[in-house]
Amino acid sequence: MNVLVTGGAGFIGSNLIHFLLSQKPEWNLINVDSLTYAGNLENLSSCDDNPRYSFELADITDTVRIHEVFDKHHPDFILHLAAESHVDRSVLDPLVFVRTNVLGTQVLLDEMRKTVPGSRFLHVSTDEVYGSLGAEGYFTEETPIAPNSPYSSSKAGSDMLVRAAFITHGLDTVITRCSNNYGPYQFPEKLIPLMLNNAWAGKPLPVYGDGRNVRDWIYVDDHCSALLAVLENGRSGEVYNIGGNNEWANIDIVKLILRQAEASEDLIQFVTDRPGHDHRYAIDATKIEKGLGWQPRHSFEEALPLTIKWYGDNIEWTRRIVSGAYRDYYEQQYGQRLG
Ligand code: NAD
Ligand code: DAU
């Protein structure tokens, strides 16, 4: 089986490649990534000598390059994770989100139809396409799409294109919508690694608004096992929600991190709120739990300390991102300069 993963050098993509290499010994994994600021090939350095892993530097909006990659590898499965993923950046620069998340998804669907029409396309979307909840209720797969940020709107657009490919062209597609992930290799602009690194450095921890916004956190390995379940057994054309059943207000997470990092709550700094900040996300994952027998295996109590330990043990990983040194890895490994 040839399994193509787009965005494999990012946070979830690199965790997914490690996960699939260990769980699926007969699969070849092809990582297709353009190495934006969020792509870090050092996340996969331990796979470099694995004959079942290969890397293709390619932008998913580049039709010529994407054709070359599909023609070379003829994937049986396509796991599509490549995206611009950070909400704050989408507020400042929406166009790059539309380009990668919307246009890039259509380029992949067109190429699949042309080269490997019998393959399966798993589109990794997000719970943010459903918009924002009040204090009560949960997102189900029937909740109407109502995105609020340029990021979530571009993801919603890509979901609609995947749906159209299923209905119009009969392609075998499935869509997943997961809540907030945490774990190793998360780019330090996101809440948990950002707060942890600031706590260790004695820097202020910027909490947006009153800190009462709620997110449902899931350990990245549980997201990966859910993606495998949907890829192998999900029904064509369907959407599956994925969640950790683990809601936290941001301020409570920040205080927990400060305690575990043995730093003072005086570092908390309430700052201007994110424009259009969604109040609460909460996932009803009954469909994947009952239909595919999937359950998250890691509790927050167990996996958050593991995550904090990972960042502590790998402080050099963060330092190389902050200094920009992680960008040199591609040239060292593949002998070509990044554009
Ligand atoms: P990330 O930002 O860490 O990684 C994104 C990867 O995509 C990077 O390696 C980047 O280089 C690559 N990429 C970006 N633009 C590209 C392009 N034009 N061509 C090729 N590669 C490109 O993101 P993440 O947090 O790992 O999220 C992965 C996917 O999961 C995204 O689609 C995101 O919407 C979705 N998602 C994320 C979360 C979360 O909590 N992080 C939750 C639900 C869904
Ligand atoms: O729900 C899934 C989504 O989770 C994914 O689709 C996105 O790709 C991923 O980035 C994440 O989006 P969020 O906006 O929820 O994640 P972020 O880590 O940016 O922020 C989490 C919460 O913390 C959010 O309510 C904003 C708040 N926050 C964030 C940062 C970076 C702060 O209060 N201060 C901060 O400095």
Side-chain angles (χ1 to χ4, degrees), residues 156-168:
S158 62
D159 287 18
M160 295 301 102
L161 293 171
V162 173
R163 177 188 150 87
F166 169 73
I167 292 181
T168 305

Side-chain angles (χ1 to χ4, degrees), residues 7 9-13 33-36 38-39 58-60 81-85 100 124-126 151 155 178-181 190:
F11 162 47
I12 301 171
D33 200 298
S34 64
L35 300 183
T36 68
D59 186 323
I60 58 165
L81 289 87
E84 287 293 334
S85 70
T100 287
V124 179
S125 188
T126 168
Y151 162 68
K155 291 295 289 188
C178 189
S179 59
N180 288 61
N181 286 219
K190 304 279 166 64

Side-chain angles (χ1 to χ4, degrees), residues 85-88 126-128 151 178-180 189-191 194-195 206-208 213 215 250 274 277 281:
S85 70
H86 193 44
V87 175
D88 293 330
T126 168
D127 61 354
E128 297 200 14
Y151 162 68
C178 189
S179 59
N180 288 61
E189 65 188 350
K190 304 279 166 64
L191 183 79
L194 176 82
M195 296 296 170
V207 174
Y208 298 162
N213 301 64
R215 298 291 182 266
N250 293 336
R274 172 185 278 176
H277 196 173
Y281 306 142

Side-chain angles (χ1 to χ4, degrees), residues 92 121 213:
L92 299 172
F121 190 95
N213 301 64

Side-chain angles (χ1 to χ4, degrees), residues 27 94 108 112 130 168 210 267:
W27 286 10
L108 293 169
M112 171 185 170
Y130 296 122
T168 305
D210 62 5
L267 290 174

Side-chain angles (χ1 to χ4, degrees), residues 111-187:
E111 187 55 46
M112 171 185 170
R113 186 155 66 95
K114 194 158 63 178
T115 314
V116 282
S119 63
R120 164 159 274 209
F121 190 95
L122 192 166
H123 178 59
V124 179
S125 188
T126 168
D127 61 354
E128 297 200 14
V129 299
Y130 296 122
S132 182
L133 292 166
E136 303 289 319
Y138 296 89
F139 297 135
T140 73
E141 289 79 1
E142 274 68 52
T143 303
I145 301 295
N148 293 317
S149 72
Y151 162 68
S152 52
S153 304
S154 66
K155 291 295 289 188
S158 62
D159 287 18
M160 295 301 102
L161 293 171
V162 173
R163 177 188 150 87
F166 169 73
I167 292 181
T168 305
H169 296 297
L171 295 186
D172 179 7
T173 65
V174 271
I175 296 176
T176 56
R177 294 184 180 140
C178 189
S179 59
N180 288 61
N181 286 219
Y182 67 98
Y185 304 123
Q186 188 164 30
F187 201 80

